[in-house]
Amino acid sequence: MADRDDVFIADDQRPLIPEGEYLAQCIELRVIPYFDTQRMRLRFKILEGQHADTILEMFINLIDGKTGSRFKSVPPASNYYKNWCVANYCRQPVRRDRMSPKIFYEGIFRVQVRTAYPKYPNSRQRMPDGMQYSVVDYLIRREQ
């Protein structure tokens, strides 16, 4: 049996702000393992309005759904490709161009924020109210 002194400390709650467009800066970029795959985690800081200084995350899969391995060439239908093009001032890469993730870091973007509704494992049922949180859904345009 656990000691009475054995306690866990809660981490910060994930922020929940109204859905919509916000001006935000990418302040962190990291590739992280996620089960049997890899994701890129971008952290954005809201720059204006009532929710200024709120930190939100955006996750982009880096694994090809067909092959199960990391992209060798990035398909135009992928979220990485679409958001990379926005970060590149809406210029698509030329064939064989390198699409470095560094293009996101410290960029200022107009972003679309949505509410994430976690679900129970192996179920389509949503978890109770209070478990929702905000995420950056996609980049709308690059401002700087």
Side-chain angles (χ1 to χ4, degrees):
M1 183 159 177
D3 243 20
R4 291 178 116 180
D5 293 333
D6 288 344
V7 295
F8 297 100
I9 306 299
D11 203 354
D12 292 335
Q13 287 184 325
R14 296 182 195 182
L16 179 61
I17 65 175
E19 292 184 340
E21 293 183 15
Y22 294 87
L23 187 66
Q25 182 174 23
C26 181
I27 60 169
E28 183 183 340
L29 172 130
R30 182 173 292 163
V31 175
I32 57 173
Y34 183 75
F35 295 101
D36 293 335
T37 185
Q38 284 187 328
R39 286 183 171 184
M40 182 172 61
R41 180 182 68 199
L42 302 169
R43 285 198 171 150
F44 290 89
K45 180 179 180 180
I46 304 295
L47 298 177
E48 63 183 2
Q50 168 182 351
H51 302 289
D53 297 327
T54 301
I55 307 294
L56 300 178
E57 295 178 326
M58 175 183 191
F59 290 90
I60 300 176
N61 287 329
L62 299 177
I63 300 297
D64 186 338
K66 293 179 184 172
T67 65
S69 59
R70 194 164 178 165
F71 291 129
K72 291 180 181 159
S73 62
V74 182
S78 72
N79 283 333
Y80 184 85
Y81 187 99
K82 293 171 190 174
N83 285 291
W84 187 94
C85 289
V86 172
N88 195 37
Y89 296 97
C90 294
R91 292 188 302 257
Q92 293 187 23
V94 178
R95 185 178 173 98
R96 301 215 184 268
D97 272 356
R98 293 179 182 255
M99 298 176 69
S100 172
K102 292 178 185 175
I103 198 166
F104 298 103
Y105 185 65
E106 294 186 345
I108 297 177
F109 303 94
R110 181 66 54 183
V111 300
Q112 180 66 42
V113 171
R114 71 172 171 83
T115 302
Y117 297 94
K119 296 181 177 81
Y120 288 105
N122 302 320
S123 171
R124 292 181 177 217
Q125 184 179 1
R126 287 183 180 176
M127 290 184 162
D129 289 344
M131 301 297 286
Q132 296 88 358
Y133 56 94
S134 295
V135 295
V136 172
D137 198 22
Y138 56 88
L139 307 179
I140 297 170
R141 69 179 170 274
R142 185 172 191 136
E143 299 288 343
Q144 290 182 5

